[in-house]
Amino acid sequence: MSRKLFYGWYIVGVGFICYLTSSFALSSTLSVFMKRLTAEFAVSRGVFSFIRSGEVMLSSVVAALVGPLIDRYGARWLIVTGALVAGTGYILLSQAHEFWQFMVVRWLPVTVGDTLMGYMVINVMISRWFIHKRGRAISIANMGNGIAKAGIPLVAVWLFVLVGWRNTWMVFGVLTLAMVVLPAFLLVRRSPEDMGLQPDGALAPPQPAGGESPRPEALGAHAADVQWTRGEAVRTSTFWLLVVTYGTVTFGIIGLNLHIHPYITDIGYSPETASTVMGMMALTQTVGNIVWGVVGERLDVRKAAAAQFLLQACGLALALAVTGLAPVSLGFLIYGFGLGGILVIRELLWANYFGRVSLGRVRNLGIMITRTGTTVGPPFFGFFHDYTGSYVLSFGVFIAALLLSAVLVLAVRPPRKADPVAHGEIC
């Protein structure tokens, strides 16, 4: 008799769908619209990039509020509300006739809704359902992001021709409402324990495969599900090393994602070619999600993180050094494969070191601090292009940031709780 499918995989399926639709708000999607909208609204690329800076800042504020709610109530109503708000926001974008209108709609309903149903909520939700299969569970959900990023640029260009840029946003809004609201409402549950289950579908408290003891440096705090307050977390070097490492990287990722389509067209290729290269990069990112998920389960996640940062740096250096279509494409393919590890390995590090119980409040605090610094990424790329006429300088800075992060992440160690008598706590 076949064993019943573990309910956690339905949770992963909802995460996959959320990632599909959440991609409508990504920098890489907005990148396809940049040249058209800067011309229509008569603004520079630097000014246009402030859309993403505001989104990143607002998202960090919303994340600070959402984190404790995930820990207390679960993700179902957050995702349902987020889909309703974001879907409505996409529809409103189709009605914008001034730059400030477009920017405000992106900042408020789109950003707020996307954060409520976005990667932090998804990954915390999944991390509650899985421990030893956490890497593959997160990577499968993240495939929705990769698949959408592979197809959305081409779909957007195709929709431009058929219905115009306004109705393209209308289509995105309808798809978000139709694909997310009902599945999230019907399927999402807070934790396996609420349904009388164990993480990973185990029949008893989970043990590693083969009877081996988990490596402390790989699994961190999650074996005992230690509860952390925010005050305890910020007093650990682990917290700050993760914040600085991924803040440094995210600075460049957000900026590059917004400007990659204009970069490829600037060096002489058509919008269709640029979208194709972005799609190919996203496909390698999708493959990377699976590969890095398995690697993160089997090897020290710090070394996996360092390796994917180095791959990104090498790929981007190749794409920048030679402007021929073949090397540019190969460079972005290598970069995309490394990028596939970001969401998976990063979430494994946070979940493995700070456990399932307090992950929402600790993770959202990390996001809030990280994103405060990364708001300068998009305008940094945009204004340096406006000033120099190219992306060489900003791309070079990003390569250096990736190399620095590869060194920083290797210094991360499992956190140790401070003496509660010696320190006050921040709830």
Side-chain angles (χ1 to χ4, degrees):
M1 183 175 177
S2 62
R3 187 178 177 182
K4 185 178 179 180
L5 179 67
F6 175 49
Y7 195 85
W9 295 112
Y10 294 103
I11 302 297
V12 172
V14 173
F16 180 92
I17 295 171
C18 288
Y19 268 121
L20 278 175
T21 56
S22 186
S23 67
F24 300 148
L26 290 176
S27 298
S28 54
T29 302
L30 188 60
S31 175
V32 178
F33 292 81
M34 180 182 285
K35 284 192 172 181
R36 177 67 180 271
L37 294 183
T38 52
E40 177 146 343
F41 294 136
V43 295
S44 71
R45 295 186 192 182
V47 171
F48 186 84
S49 298
F50 277 117
I51 292 176
R52 284 301 289 159
S53 295
E55 289 173 350
V56 170
M57 181 66 74
L58 287 168
S59 178
S60 68
V61 173
V62 176
L65 302 174
V66 166
L69 295 178
I70 305 172
D71 290 337
R72 182 171 298 180
Y73 301 111
R76 177 165 65 169
W77 286 108
L78 292 173
I79 293 175
V80 170
T81 303
L84 290 170
V85 174
T88 302
Y90 294 135
I91 293 171
L92 290 175
L93 286 177
S94 69
Q95 306 303 309
H97 292 279
E98 301 288 341
F99 176 67
W100 69 267
Q101 295 172 342
F102 188 89
M103 182 168 61
V104 168
V105 173
R106 287 279 311 195
W107 281 357
L108 295 179
V110 171
T111 297
V112 171
D114 181 64
T115 304
L116 293 178
M117 59 176 282
Y119 74 88
M120 187 194 77
V121 174
I122 296 168
N123 290 329
V124 171
M125 173 180 71
I126 293 173
S127 293
R128 287 187 175 276
W129 284 83
F130 295 89
I131 293 180
H132 298 289
K133 297 178 182 178
R134 183 178 286 157
R136 74 195 72 178
I138 291 177
S139 67
I140 290 171
N142 273 300
M143 285 178 63
N145 177 277
I147 291 171
K149 287 176 70 174
I152 290 301
L154 286 171
V155 169
V157 170
W158 176 67
L159 287 173
F160 278 174
V161 176
L162 291 181
V163 299
W165 72 265
R166 295 182 184 279
N167 287 328
T168 299
W169 288 111
M170 182 76 73
V171 171
F172 290 166
V174 172
L175 286 174
T176 300
L177 296 172
M179 294 175 64
V180 177
V181 175
L182 192 59
F185 177 76
L186 293 177
L187 296 175
V188 173
R189 298 294 182 271
R190 184 175 182 273
S191 70
E193 289 83 357
D194 288 349
M195 300 181 68
L197 302 172
Q198 294 287 342
D200 299 298
L203 298 177
Q207 299 294 328
E212 298 177 357
S213 299
R215 302 183 315 278
E217 71 274 11
L219 301 183
H222 81 209
D225 274 338
V226 175
Q227 185 163 355
W228 294 84
T229 66
R230 288 177 174 176
E232 290 170 333
V234 299
R235 288 194 290 270
T236 67
S237 61
T238 305
F239 178 88
W240 290 108
L241 278 170
L242 291 176
V243 164
V244 173
T245 296
Y246 284 99
T248 302
V249 169
T250 307
F251 159 87
I253 292 174
I254 294 176
L256 177 66
N257 284 349
L258 182 59
H259 291 274
I260 184 172
H261 194 274
Y263 168 73
I264 296 172
T265 56
D266 282 353
I267 61 176
Y269 300 103
S270 69
E272 292 79 10
T273 299
S275 297
T276 300
V277 173
M278 291 173 65
M280 293 168 59
M281 183 182 81
L283 285 175
T284 61
Q285 180 182 342
T286 303
V287 174
N289 279 329
I290 299 297
V291 173
W292 292 110
V294 174
V295 168
E297 288 180 352
R298 297 177 181 273
L299 300 178
D300 187 332
V301 286
R302 297 167 301 178
K303 294 179 181 178
Q308 54 98 18
F309 292 150
L310 292 174
L311 275 176
Q312 286 180 268
C314 291
L316 187 57
L318 176 60
L320 182 64
V322 185
T323 58
L325 183 57
V328 167
S329 299
L330 178 60
F332 281 122
L333 289 177
I334 296 171
Y335 171 84
F337 182 78
L339 182 62
I342 287 284
L343 290 177
V344 178
I345 299 299
R346 179 184 62 193
E347 300 310 321
L348 286 178
L349 283 164
W350 281 103
N352 288 358
Y353 287 142
F354 288 100
R356 298 188 304 144
V357 177
S358 314
L359 185 57
R361 68 173 68 98
V362 174
R363 185 70 185 92
N364 84 73
L365 180 61
I367 290 173
M368 182 173 63
I369 298 171
T370 296
R371 288 192 168 185
T372 300
T374 58
T375 54
V376 300
F380 174 82
F381 279 70
F383 281 117
F384 268 95
H385 174 273
D386 294 342
Y387 182 74
T388 66
S390 78
Y391 287 107
V392 171
L393 178 60
S394 52
F395 279 29
V397 170
F398 182 26
I399 292 170
L402 287 164
L403 296 175
L404 174 62
S405 294
V407 175
L408 289 175
V409 76
L410 292 175
V412 177
R413 295 292 183 272
R416 296 288 184 267
K417 295 190 71 168
D419 183 356
V421 176
H423 300 279
E425 293 186 351
I426 303 173
C427 295

